[in-house]
Amino acid sequence: MTEIAFTANYVTQVELGRAYARLGHTSTAPAWSATLLIRDTLTMAWACPVLPAPEFREDQTGHNWHIISEAGELNWPQLKPEADIWPALLEKEPVPTGEQAERSAAFLGKTVEEMHRDALRRHYLSDAHIAGFKRNQLDVNFDPIVRDWDATARELAAFIDDHRPPRLTTEQRVMVQGVHLAALEAETERTKASLGRLMRNAARDQGERPRRGFKSDLWRWSGVSRVTVDAWLADGGCCEAPVPAEDGSVLGGDTHTFAPGA
């Protein structure tokens, strides 16, 4: 299946992603195929993930994208028929009531409903294109009440059906596997940190005199070496959750140390 990724979570990308998911479109693609990367402007590129440069990895989470080739762009979604728009739009933005609304409408020489509809039209129904070209996305309202995102999702599906993704070169496959390995290593470190905290919680629950065989059980259950268990228990640090005493107080503060060999 052709993999799709978005560069960010801008409204255009979020709404297109939702509409494409609703469409339920499926496609086939061979292994080691490029990802279809979609930007907030709905321009597209074939790409693969790549780690940031080493000097930036400590300050940046996630990965970057290596662009293989540009892949065109999708149109801004067109307005739905007004007969479908107005009932839902007025339900979301009801006609205002009260003296302030009446005074404002009278000043403009309109009824309150006319004034309200004009304001909604300016806010929601502005043109998405000028002279056939896309307007800046900041100047267009992309609310799915007024914009036909399902049509844009169908356009994306047709593009995927008509275009075979490039096959990654061996160098690009190294980029992908590097990202995969970094993710696995980060998950391993998070799991180790959680396991260490859980061990200290368990030691905390034992009180001053842990039961016989307690550390041997930790070693056996966790699958790590006895030396590692000793190091993690002696590390202290915040526990997963405080352990209350019978009187409601918290036992031992927020750290716990455990003497090796206990």
Side-chain angles (χ1 to χ4, degrees), residues 43-93:
T43 57
M44 301 182 293
W46 295 112
C48 69
V50 63
L51 289 173
E55 60 268 25
F56 300 120
R57 288 179 192 169
E58 289 187 4
D59 301 325
Q60 182 177 338
T61 58
H63 60 263
N64 294 336
W65 288 98
H66 170 74
I67 303 300
I68 299 169
S69 64
E70 294 297 322
E73 65 180 309
L74 303 172
N75 291 316
W76 286 148
Q78 297 296 318
L79 288 171
K80 295 178 180 179
E82 290 206 18
D84 298 335
I85 291 174
W86 284 109
L89 194 54
L90 289 172
E91 182 178 353
K92 179 180 179 180
E93 304 269 6

mmCIF file of all heavy atoms in Angstrom, residues 43-93:
data_model
loop_
_atom_site.group_PDB
_atom_site.id
_atom_site.type_symbol
_atom_site.label_atom_id
_atom_site.label_comp_id
_atom_site.label_asym_id
_atom_site.label_seq_id
_atom_site.Cartn_x
_atom_site.Cartn_y
_atom_site.Cartn_z
ATOM 1 N N THR A 43 0.852 20.540 -1.853
ATOM 2 C CA THR A 43 1.846 20.069 -2.807
ATOM 3 C C THR A 43 2.386 18.740 -2.287
ATOM 4 O O THR A 43 2.392 18.478 -1.085
ATOM 5 C CB THR A 43 2.998 21.079 -2.967
ATOM 6 O OG1 THR A 43 3.586 21.315 -1.682
ATOM 7 C CG2 THR A 43 2.480 22.388 -3.545
ATOM 8 N N MET A 44 2.831 17.910 -3.207
ATOM 9 C CA MET A 44 3.221 16.551 -2.836
ATOM 10 C C MET A 44 4.626 16.238 -3.352
ATOM 11 O O MET A 44 5.086 16.830 -4.338
ATOM 12 C CB MET A 44 2.218 15.545 -3.410
ATOM 13 C CG MET A 44 0.790 15.772 -2.943
ATOM 14 S SD MET A 44 -0.352 14.516 -3.596
ATOM 15 C CE MET A 44 -0.309 14.906 -5.357
ATOM 16 N N ALA A 45 5.268 15.312 -2.688
ATOM 17 C CA ALA A 45 6.591 14.860 -3.102
ATOM 18 C C ALA A 45 6.761 13.406 -2.704
ATOM 19 O O ALA A 45 6.188 12.948 -1.719
ATOM 20 C CB ALA A 45 7.685 15.716 -2.463
ATOM 21 N N TRP A 46 7.556 12.689 -3.497
ATOM 22 C CA TRP A 46 7.971 11.349 -3.101
ATOM 23 C C TRP A 46 9.190 11.505 -2.199
ATOM 24 O O TRP A 46 10.124 12.248 -2.527
ATOM 25 C CB TRP A 46 8.312 10.502 -4.323
ATOM 26 C CG TRP A 46 7.139 10.227 -5.208
ATOM 27 C CD1 TRP A 46 6.936 10.706 -6.467
ATOM 28 C CD2 TRP A 46 6.007 9.407 -4.906
ATOM 29 N NE1 TRP A 46 5.748 10.257 -6.979
ATOM 30 C CE2 TRP A 46 5.151 9.445 -6.051
ATOM 31 C CE3 TRP A 46 5.620 8.649 -3.803
ATOM 32 C CZ2 TRP A 46 3.951 8.754 -6.089
ATOM 33 C CZ3 TRP A 46 4.416 7.964 -3.852
ATOM 34 C CH2 TRP A 46 3.596 8.009 -4.980
ATOM 35 N N ALA A 47 9.183 10.828 -1.069
ATOM 36 C CA ALA A 47 10.227 11.064 -0.073
ATOM 37 C C ALA A 47 10.460 9.809 0.760
ATOM 38 O O ALA A 47 9.708 8.828 0.676
ATOM 39 C CB ALA A 47 9.818 12.224 0.839
ATOM 40 N N CYS A 48 11.506 9.861 1.578
ATOM 41 C CA CYS A 48 11.746 8.818 2.563
ATOM 42 C C CYS A 48 12.265 9.481 3.834
ATOM 43 O O CYS A 48 12.886 10.543 3.778
ATOM 44 C CB CYS A 48 12.728 7.765 2.045
ATOM 45 S SG CYS A 48 14.419 8.349 1.845
ATOM 46 N N PRO A 49 12.010 8.894 4.998
ATOM 47 C CA PRO A 49 12.476 9.492 6.256
ATOM 48 C C PRO A 49 13.988 9.393 6.378
ATOM 49 O O PRO A 49 14.607 8.442 5.889
ATOM 50 C CB PRO A 49 11.756 8.674 7.328
ATOM 51 C CG PRO A 49 11.479 7.365 6.672
ATOM 52 C CD PRO A 49 11.249 7.655 5.231
ATOM 53 N N VAL A 50 14.578 10.390 7.048
ATOM 54 C CA VAL A 50 16.016 10.393 7.279
ATOM 55 C C VAL A 50 16.286 11.081 8.615
ATOM 56 O O VAL A 50 15.562 12.008 9.007
ATOM 57 C CB VAL A 50 16.762 11.107 6.130
ATOM 58 C CG1 VAL A 50 16.368 12.578 6.034
ATOM 59 C CG2 VAL A 50 18.272 10.974 6.279
ATOM 60 N N LEU A 51 17.292 10.618 9.334
ATOM 61 C CA LEU A 51 17.632 11.221 10.620
ATOM 62 C C LEU A 51 18.189 12.631 10.427
ATOM 63 O O LEU A 51 18.837 12.917 9.422
ATOM 64 C CB LEU A 51 18.672 10.365 11.345
ATOM 65 C CG LEU A 51 18.199 9.030 11.906
ATOM 66 C CD1 LEU A 51 19.394 8.240 12.431
ATOM 67 C CD2 LEU A 51 17.172 9.232 13.007
ATOM 68 N N PRO A 52 17.963 13.526 11.397
ATOM 69 C CA PRO A 52 18.617 14.833 11.334
ATOM 70 C C PRO A 52 20.134 14.667 11.394
ATOM 71 O O PRO A 52 20.647 13.621 11.804
ATOM 72 C CB PRO A 52 18.093 15.569 12.582
ATOM 73 C CG PRO A 52 16.915 14.779 13.045
ATOM 74 C CD PRO A 52 17.133 13.372 12.598
ATOM 75 N N ALA A 53 20.850 15.702 10.985
ATOM 76 C CA ALA A 53 22.303 15.677 11.105
ATOM 77 C C ALA A 53 22.695 15.459 12.564
ATOM 78 O O ALA A 53 21.979 15.892 13.476
ATOM 79 C CB ALA A 53 22.887 16.990 10.587
ATOM 80 N N PRO A 54 23.809 14.765 12.810
ATOM 81 C CA PRO A 54 24.192 14.435 14.195
ATOM 82 C C PRO A 54 24.202 15.623 15.141
ATOM 83 O O PRO A 54 23.802 15.498 16.304
ATOM 84 C CB PRO A 54 25.594 13.831 14.028
ATOM 85 C CG PRO A 54 25.596 13.271 12.652
ATOM 86 C CD PRO A 54 24.748 14.200 11.832
ATOM 87 N N GLU A 55 24.626 16.792 14.662
ATOM 88 C CA GLU A 55 24.716 17.946 15.557
ATOM 89 C C GLU A 55 23.356 18.482 15.968
ATOM 90 O O GLU A 55 23.253 19.303 16.890
ATOM 91 C CB GLU A 55 25.538 19.065 14.898
ATOM 92 C CG GLU A 55 24.972 19.590 13.584
ATOM 93 C CD GLU A 55 25.521 18.861 12.369
ATOM 94 O OE1 GLU A 55 25.936 17.687 12.519
ATOM 95 O OE2 GLU A 55 25.531 19.456 11.277
ATOM 96 N N PHE A 56 22.278 18.047 15.295
ATOM 97 C CA PHE A 56 20.945 18.537 15.629
ATOM 98 C C PHE A 56 20.080 17.499 16.338
ATOM 99 O O PHE A 56 18.946 17.793 16.716
ATOM 100 C CB PHE A 56 20.214 19.006 14.372
ATOM 101 C CG PHE A 56 20.904 20.126 13.645
ATOM 102 C CD1 PHE A 56 21.327 19.970 12.335
ATOM 103 C CD2 PHE A 56 21.144 21.337 14.273
ATOM 104 C CE1 PHE A 56 21.965 20.992 11.662
ATOM 105 C CE2 PHE A 56 21.778 22.370 13.611
ATOM 106 C CZ PHE A 56 22.200 22.204 12.304
ATOM 107 N N ARG A 57 20.566 16.291 16.522
ATOM 108 C CA ARG A 57 19.712 15.211 17.015
ATOM 109 C C ARG A 57 19.289 15.397 18.455
ATOM 110 O O ARG A 57 18.199 14.984 18.844
ATOM 111 C CB ARG A 57 20.423 13.866 16.838
ATOM 112 C CG ARG A 57 20.479 13.448 15.373
ATOM 113 C CD ARG A 57 21.199 12.141 15.160
ATOM 114 N NE ARG A 57 21.462 11.939 13.734
ATOM 115 C CZ ARG A 57 22.248 10.995 13.247
ATOM 116 N NH1 ARG A 57 22.850 10.145 14.080
ATOM 117 N NH2 ARG A 57 22.437 10.891 11.952
ATOM 118 N N GLU A 58 20.129 16.017 19.279
ATOM 119 C CA GLU A 58 19.754 16.210 20.679
ATOM 120 C C GLU A 58 18.642 17.227 20.823
ATOM 121 O O GLU A 58 17.842 17.152 21.763
ATOM 122 C CB GLU A 58 20.976 16.651 21.490
ATOM 123 C CG GLU A 58 22.015 15.550 21.692
ATOM 124 C CD GLU A 58 23.108 15.977 22.643
ATOM 125 O OE1 GLU A 58 22.998 17.098 23.200
ATOM 126 O OE2 GLU A 58 24.060 15.205 22.833
ATOM 127 N N ASP A 59 18.559 18.189 19.902
ATOM 128 C CA ASP A 59 17.573 19.262 20.003
ATOM 129 C C ASP A 59 16.325 18.995 19.178
ATOM 130 O O ASP A 59 15.364 19.768 19.238
ATOM 131 C CB ASP A 59 18.194 20.588 19.543
ATOM 132 C CG ASP A 59 19.408 20.975 20.373
ATOM 133 O OD1 ASP A 59 19.399 20.680 21.578
ATOM 134 O OD2 ASP A 59 20.360 21.546 19.805
ATOM 135 N N GLN A 60 16.305 17.938 18.399
ATOM 136 C CA GLN A 60 15.194 17.683 17.495
ATOM 137 C C GLN A 60 14.668 16.279 17.693
ATOM 138 O O GLN A 60 15.431 15.314 17.691
ATOM 139 C CB GLN A 60 15.660 17.871 16.036
ATOM 140 C CG GLN A 60 14.557 17.662 15.005
ATOM 141 C CD GLN A 60 15.044 17.919 13.593
ATOM 142 O OE1 GLN A 60 16.044 18.623 13.387
ATOM 143 N NE2 GLN A 60 14.364 17.361 12.609
ATOM 144 N N THR A 61 13.367 16.167 17.874
ATOM 145 C CA THR A 61 12.746 14.849 17.986
ATOM 146 C C THR A 61 12.233 14.417 16.618
ATOM 147 O O THR A 61 11.980 15.241 15.742
ATOM 148 C CB THR A 61 11.570 14.885 18.974
ATOM 149 O OG1 THR A 61 10.607 15.857 18.523
ATOM 150 C CG2 THR A 61 12.045 15.263 20.369
ATOM 151 N N GLY A 62 12.072 13.127 16.434
ATOM 152 C CA GLY A 62 11.547 12.639 15.177
ATOM 153 C C GLY A 62 12.602 12.622 14.088
ATOM 154 O O GLY A 62 13.803 12.559 14.346
ATOM 155 N N HIS A 63 12.143 12.707 12.852
ATOM 156 C CA HIS A 63 13.041 12.606 11.710
ATOM 157 C C HIS A 63 12.724 13.687 10.691
ATOM 158 O O HIS A 63 11.712 14.378 10.778
ATOM 159 C CB HIS A 63 12.905 11.220 11.060
ATOM 160 C CG HIS A 63 11.509 10.939 10.565
ATOM 161 N ND1 HIS A 63 10.598 10.224 11.314
ATOM 162 C CD2 HIS A 63 10.859 11.284 9.425
ATOM 163 C CE1 HIS A 63 9.458 10.135 10.650
ATOM 164 N NE2 HIS A 63 9.584 10.769 9.499
ATOM 165 N N ASN A 64 13.611 13.835 9.732
ATOM 166 C CA ASN A 64 13.398 14.729 8.601
ATOM 167 C C ASN A 64 12.934 13.912 7.405
ATOM 168 O O ASN A 64 12.781 12.681 7.485
ATOM 169 C CB ASN A 64 14.692 15.480 8.267
ATOM 170 C CG ASN A 64 15.100 16.428 9.379
ATOM 171 O OD1 ASN A 64 14.274 16.864 10.177
ATOM 172 N ND2 ASN A 64 16.390 16.730 9.455
ATOM 173 N N TRP A 65 12.727 14.600 6.289
ATOM 174 C CA TRP A 65 12.333 13.922 5.054
ATOM 175 C C TRP A 65 13.348 14.211 3.962
ATOM 176 O O TRP A 65 13.727 15.354 3.751
ATOM 177 C CB TRP A 65 10.943 14.374 4.602
ATOM 178 C CG TRP A 65 9.847 13.847 5.472
ATOM 179 C CD1 TRP A 65 9.224 14.504 6.479
ATOM 180 C CD2 TRP A 65 9.277 12.537 5.415
ATOM 181 N NE1 TRP A 65 8.287 13.690 7.072
ATOM 182 C CE2 TRP A 65 8.291 12.481 6.440
ATOM 183 C CE3 TRP A 65 9.484 11.423 4.615
ATOM 184 C CZ2 TRP A 65 7.528 11.345 6.666
ATOM 185 C CZ3 TRP A 65 8.724 10.287 4.848
ATOM 186 C CH2 TRP A 65 7.759 10.258 5.864
ATOM 187 N N HIS A 66 13.781 13.157 3.301
ATOM 188 C CA HIS A 66 14.644 13.280 2.134
ATOM 189 C C HIS A 66 13.747 13.274 0.900
ATOM 190 O O HIS A 66 13.053 12.292 0.629
ATOM 191 C CB HIS A 66 15.637 12.115 2.077
ATOM 192 C CG HIS A 66 16.402 12.035 0.795
ATOM 193 N ND1 HIS A 66 17.417 12.910 0.487
ATOM 194 C CD2 HIS A 66 16.277 11.183 -0.275
ATOM 195 C CE1 HIS A 66 17.903 12.615 -0.698
ATOM 196 N NE2 HIS A 66 17.230 11.568 -1.186
ATOM 197 N N ILE A 67 13.728 14.390 0.171
ATOM 198 C CA ILE A 67 12.868 14.501 -1.005
ATOM 199 C C ILE A 67 13.535 13.826 -2.193
ATOM 200 O O ILE A 67 14.655 14.165 -2.581
ATOM 201 C CB ILE A 67 12.572 15.984 -1.329
ATOM 202 C CG1 ILE A 67 11.934 16.675 -0.120
ATOM 203 C CG2 ILE A 67 11.664 16.079 -2.554
ATOM 204 C CD1 ILE A 67 10.633 16.066 0.343
ATOM 205 N N ILE A 68 12.829 12.872 -2.776
ATOM 206 C CA ILE A 68 13.330 12.150 -3.947
ATOM 207 C C ILE A 68 12.929 12.879 -5.226
ATOM 208 O O ILE A 68 13.751 13.124 -6.101
ATOM 209 C CB ILE A 68 12.791 10.711 -3.949
ATOM 210 C CG1 ILE A 68 13.269 9.972 -2.688
ATOM 211 C CG2 ILE A 68 13.204 9.972 -5.215
ATOM 212 C CD1 ILE A 68 12.599 8.648 -2.458
ATOM 213 N N SER A 69 11.649 13.263 -5.303
ATOM 214 C CA SER A 69 11.165 14.015 -6.465
ATOM 215 C C SER A 69 9.836 14.659 -6.119
ATOM 216 O O SER A 69 9.098 14.160 -5.260
ATOM 217 C CB SER A 69 11.010 13.107 -7.687
ATOM 218 O OG SER A 69 10.009 12.114 -7.456
ATOM 219 N N GLU A 70 9.528 15.776 -6.768
ATOM 220 C CA GLU A 70 8.235 16.416 -6.592
ATOM 221 C C GLU A 70 7.162 15.595 -7.290
ATOM 222 O O GLU A 70 7.430 14.885 -8.267
ATOM 223 C CB GLU A 70 8.258 17.844 -7.128
ATOM 224 C CG GLU A 70 9.169 18.780 -6.352
ATOM 225 C CD GLU A 70 8.734 18.963 -4.910
ATOM 226 O OE1 GLU A 70 7.519 19.018 -4.657
ATOM 227 O OE2 GLU A 70 9.623 19.024 -4.024
ATOM 228 N N ALA A 71 5.932 15.685 -6.795
ATOM 229 C CA ALA A 71 4.860 14.817 -7.310
ATOM 230 C C ALA A 71 3.587 15.591 -7.667
ATOM 231 O O ALA A 71 2.520 15.005 -7.757
ATOM 232 C CB ALA A 71 4.541 13.728 -6.306
ATOM 233 N N GLY A 72 3.694 16.913 -7.835
ATOM 234 C CA GLY A 72 2.512 17.678 -8.207
ATOM 235 C C GLY A 72 1.784 18.221 -6.996
ATOM 236 O O GLY A 72 2.338 18.287 -5.894
ATOM 237 N N GLU A 73 0.528 18.606 -7.190
ATOM 238 C CA GLU A 73 -0.245 19.166 -6.085
ATOM 239 C C GLU A 73 -1.722 18.888 -6.276
ATOM 240 O O GLU A 73 -2.199 18.630 -7.388
ATOM 241 C CB GLU A 73 -0.005 20.667 -5.952
ATOM 242 C CG GLU A 73 -0.478 21.501 -7.123
ATOM 243 C CD GLU A 73 -0.197 22.983 -6.913
ATOM 244 O OE1 GLU A 73 -0.559 23.509 -5.854
ATOM 245 O OE2 GLU A 73 0.394 23.591 -7.801
ATOM 246 N N LEU A 74 -2.449 18.937 -5.177
ATOM 247 C CA LEU A 74 -3.899 18.794 -5.185
ATOM 248 C C LEU A 74 -4.536 20.171 -5.155
ATOM 249 O O LEU A 74 -3.964 21.131 -4.633
ATOM 250 C CB LEU A 74 -4.358 17.989 -3.967
ATOM 251 C CG LEU A 74 -3.757 16.591 -3.808
ATOM 252 C CD1 LEU A 74 -4.156 15.999 -2.455
ATOM 253 C CD2 LEU A 74 -4.194 15.673 -4.938
ATOM 254 N N ASN A 75 -5.740 20.267 -5.693
ATOM 255 C CA ASN A 75 -6.472 21.526 -5.663
ATOM 256 C C ASN A 75 -6.995 21.810 -4.268
ATOM 257 O O ASN A 75 -7.233 20.892 -3.477
ATOM 258 C CB ASN A 75 -7.656 21.472 -6.644
ATOM 259 C CG ASN A 75 -7.211 21.459 -8.088
ATOM 260 O OD1 ASN A 75 -6.326 22.214 -8.484
ATOM 261 N ND2 ASN A 75 -7.809 20.579 -8.872
ATOM 262 N N TRP A 76 -7.190 23.098 -3.965
ATOM 263 C CA TRP A 76 -7.948 23.428 -2.769
ATOM 264 C C TRP A 76 -9.353 22.862 -2.939
ATOM 265 O O TRP A 76 -9.909 22.860 -4.038
ATOM 266 C CB TRP A 76 -8.062 24.927 -2.581
ATOM 267 C CG TRP A 76 -6.868 25.702 -2.117
ATOM 268 C CD1 TRP A 76 -6.571 26.979 -2.450
ATOM 269 C CD2 TRP A 76 -5.846 25.309 -1.199
ATOM 270 N NE1 TRP A 76 -5.420 27.404 -1.821
ATOM 271 C CE2 TRP A 76 -4.957 26.391 -1.040
ATOM 272 C CE3 TRP A 76 -5.586 24.130 -0.493
ATOM 273 C CZ2 TRP A 76 -3.838 26.342 -0.222
ATOM 274 C CZ3 TRP A 76 -4.468 24.069 0.322
ATOM 275 C CH2 TRP A 76 -3.607 25.165 0.459
ATOM 276 N N PRO A 77 -9.971 22.368 -1.877
ATOM 277 C CA PRO A 77 -11.338 21.840 -2.002
ATOM 278 C C PRO A 77 -12.320 22.931 -2.402
ATOM 279 O O PRO A 77 -12.241 24.056 -1.919
ATOM 280 C CB PRO A 77 -11.641 21.295 -0.600
ATOM 281 C CG PRO A 77 -10.701 22.031 0.304
ATOM 282 C CD PRO A 77 -9.466 22.289 -0.488
ATOM 283 N N GLN A 78 -13.224 22.591 -3.282
ATOM 284 C CA GLN A 78 -14.232 23.534 -3.733
ATOM 285 C C GLN A 78 -15.332 23.697 -2.682
ATOM 286 O O GLN A 78 -15.506 22.847 -1.804
ATOM 287 C CB GLN A 78 -14.853 23.050 -5.048
ATOM 288 C CG GLN A 78 -13.868 22.969 -6.202
ATOM 289 C CD GLN A 78 -13.322 24.339 -6.582
ATOM 290 O OE1 GLN A 78 -14.062 25.317 -6.644
ATOM 291 N NE2 GLN A 78 -12.017 24.408 -6.833
ATOM 292 N N LEU A 79 -16.080 24.808 -2.788
ATOM 293 C CA LEU A 79 -17.232 25.009 -1.909
ATOM 294 C C LEU A 79 -18.315 23.989 -2.214
ATOM 295 O O LEU A 79 -18.551 23.640 -3.376
ATOM 296 C CB LEU A 79 -17.796 26.414 -2.081
ATOM 297 C CG LEU A 79 -16.971 27.558 -1.504
ATOM 298 C CD1 LEU A 79 -17.562 28.895 -1.956
ATOM 299 C CD2 LEU A 79 -16.928 27.492 0.018
ATOM 300 N N LYS A 80 -18.976 23.520 -1.187
ATOM 301 C CA LYS A 80 -20.148 22.683 -1.390
ATOM 302 C C LYS A 80 -21.301 23.537 -1.920
ATOM 303 O O LYS A 80 -21.265 24.771 -1.829
ATOM 304 C CB LYS A 80 -20.559 22.047 -0.053
ATOM 305 C CG LYS A 80 -19.540 21.075 0.519
ATOM 306 C CD LYS A 80 -20.006 20.525 1.859
ATOM 307 C CE LYS A 80 -19.019 19.546 2.453
ATOM 308 N NZ LYS A 80 -19.463 19.039 3.774
ATOM 309 N N PRO A 81 -22.341 22.924 -2.469
ATOM 310 C CA PRO A 81 -23.509 23.711 -2.883
ATOM 311 C C PRO A 81 -24.085 24.496 -1.702
ATOM 312 O O PRO A 81 -24.179 23.979 -0.587
ATOM 313 C CB PRO A 81 -24.488 22.639 -3.371
ATOM 314 C CG PRO A 81 -23.631 21.466 -3.744
ATOM 315 C CD PRO A 81 -22.483 21.495 -2.789
ATOM 316 N N GLU A 82 -24.465 25.742 -1.969
ATOM 317 C CA GLU A 82 -24.935 26.591 -0.869
ATOM 318 C C GLU A 82 -26.170 26.030 -0.181
ATOM 319 O O GLU A 82 -26.383 26.258 1.013
ATOM 320 C CB GLU A 82 -25.185 28.011 -1.371
ATOM 321 C CG GLU A 82 -23.901 28.757 -1.717
ATOM 322 C CD GLU A 82 -24.057 30.265 -1.601
ATOM 323 O OE1 GLU A 82 -25.022 30.721 -0.949
ATOM 324 O OE2 GLU A 82 -23.219 30.986 -2.162
ATOM 325 N N ALA A 83 -26.980 25.305 -0.925
ATOM 326 C CA ALA A 83 -28.162 24.698 -0.307
ATOM 327 C C ALA A 83 -27.774 23.702 0.782
ATOM 328 O O ALA A 83 -28.539 23.484 1.737
ATOM 329 C CB ALA A 83 -29.007 23.998 -1.373
ATOM 330 N N ASP A 84 -26.591 23.104 0.644
ATOM 331 C CA ASP A 84 -26.115 22.165 1.665
ATOM 332 C C ASP A 84 -25.363 22.886 2.777
ATOM 333 O O ASP A 84 -25.300 22.407 3.910
ATOM 334 C CB ASP A 84 -25.189 21.122 1.031
ATOM 335 C CG ASP A 84 -25.884 20.275 -0.016
ATOM 336 O OD1 ASP A 84 -27.126 20.139 0.076
ATOM 337 O OD2 ASP A 84 -25.205 19.764 -0.916
ATOM 338 N N ILE A 85 -24.781 24.045 2.435
ATOM 339 C CA ILE A 85 -23.940 24.755 3.392
ATOM 340 C C ILE A 85 -24.749 25.443 4.476
ATOM 341 O O ILE A 85 -24.470 25.312 5.675
ATOM 342 C CB ILE A 85 -23.052 25.791 2.667
ATOM 343 C CG1 ILE A 85 -21.997 25.084 1.815
ATOM 344 C CG2 ILE A 85 -22.392 26.730 3.671
ATOM 345 C CD1 ILE A 85 -21.181 26.031 0.963
ATOM 346 N N TRP A 86 -25.763 26.232 4.065
ATOM 347 C CA TRP A 86 -26.391 27.160 5.002
ATOM 348 C C TRP A 86 -27.079 26.511 6.197
ATOM 349 O O TRP A 86 -26.933 27.007 7.319
ATOM 350 C CB TRP A 86 -27.349 28.091 4.269
ATOM 351 C CG TRP A 86 -26.593 29.158 3.518
ATOM 352 C CD1 TRP A 86 -26.439 29.273 2.178
ATOM 353 C CD2 TRP A 86 -25.853 30.244 4.103
ATOM 354 N NE1 TRP A 86 -25.641 30.347 1.863
ATOM 355 C CE2 TRP A 86 -25.280 30.973 3.027
ATOM 356 C CE3 TRP A 86 -25.621 30.665 5.399
ATOM 357 C CZ2 TRP A 86 -24.483 32.098 3.238
ATOM 358 C CZ3 TRP A 86 -24.826 31.785 5.616
ATOM 359 C CH2 TRP A 86 -24.277 32.489 4.549
ATOM 360 N N PRO A 87 -27.820 25.417 6.037
ATOM 361 C CA PRO A 87 -28.433 24.827 7.238
ATOM 362 C C PRO A 87 -27.400 24.433 8.299
ATOM 363 O O PRO A 87 -27.567 24.733 9.485
ATOM 364 C CB PRO A 87 -29.178 23.603 6.694
ATOM 365 C CG PRO A 87 -29.460 23.947 5.262
ATOM 366 C CD PRO A 87 -28.275 24.730 4.807
ATOM 367 N N ALA A 88 -26.307 23.780 7.862
ATOM 368 C CA ALA A 88 -25.283 23.361 8.821
ATOM 369 C C ALA A 88 -24.524 24.557 9.373
ATOM 370 O O ALA A 88 -24.167 24.597 10.556
ATOM 371 C CB ALA A 88 -24.313 22.394 8.145
ATOM 372 N N LEU A 89 -24.298 25.565 8.525
ATOM 373 C CA LEU A 89 -23.543 26.731 8.966
ATOM 374 C C LEU A 89 -24.332 27.545 9.985
ATOM 375 O O LEU A 89 -23.781 28.023 10.988
ATOM 376 C CB LEU A 89 -23.178 27.587 7.754
ATOM 377 C CG LEU A 89 -22.113 28.666 7.957
ATOM 378 C CD1 LEU A 89 -20.850 28.069 8.540
ATOM 379 C CD2 LEU A 89 -21.818 29.365 6.633
ATOM 380 N N LEU A 90 -25.648 27.701 9.754
ATOM 381 C CA LEU A 90 -26.481 28.452 10.698
ATOM 382 C C LEU A 90 -26.699 27.675 11.998
ATOM 383 O O LEU A 90 -26.938 28.280 13.041
ATOM 384 C CB LEU A 90 -27.820 28.795 10.051
ATOM 385 C CG LEU A 90 -27.741 29.863 8.949
ATOM 386 C CD1 LEU A 90 -29.074 29.991 8.230
ATOM 387 C CD2 LEU A 90 -27.312 31.212 9.532
ATOM 388 N N GLU A 91 -26.592 26.348 11.920
ATOM 389 C CA GLU A 91 -26.662 25.565 13.158
ATOM 390 C C GLU A 91 -25.396 25.778 13.987
ATOM 391 O O GLU A 91 -25.448 25.870 15.211
ATOM 392 C CB GLU A 91 -26.834 24.089 12.828
ATOM 393 C CG GLU A 91 -26.960 23.201 14.053
ATOM 394 C CD GLU A 91 -27.179 21.745 13.702
ATOM 395 O OE1 GLU A 91 -27.368 21.432 12.514
ATOM 396 O OE2 GLU A 91 -27.141 20.908 14.627
ATOM 397 N N LYS A 92 -24.266 25.882 13.294
ATOM 398 C CA LYS A 92 -23.000 26.122 13.993
ATOM 399 C C LYS A 92 -22.893 27.559 14.465
ATOM 400 O O LYS A 92 -22.378 27.823 15.556
ATOM 401 C CB LYS A 92 -21.832 25.798 13.049
ATOM 402 C CG LYS A 92 -20.464 26.047 13.667
ATOM 403 C CD LYS A 92 -19.341 25.722 12.692
ATOM 404 C CE LYS A 92 -17.977 26.000 13.321
ATOM 405 N NZ LYS A 92 -16.853 25.684 12.389
ATOM 406 N N GLU A 93 -23.363 28.504 13.647
ATOM 407 C CA GLU A 93 -23.275 29.933 13.951
ATOM 408 C C GLU A 93 -24.685 30.533 13.894
ATOM 409 O O GLU A 93 -25.075 31.130 12.893
ATOM 410 C CB GLU A 93 -22.368 30.636 12.926
ATOM 411 C CG GLU A 93 -20.972 30.059 12.823
ATOM 412 C CD GLU A 93 -20.014 30.749 13.777
ATOM 413 O OE1 GLU A 93 -20.480 31.585 14.579
ATOM 414 O OE2 GLU A 93 -18.811 30.446 13.709
#
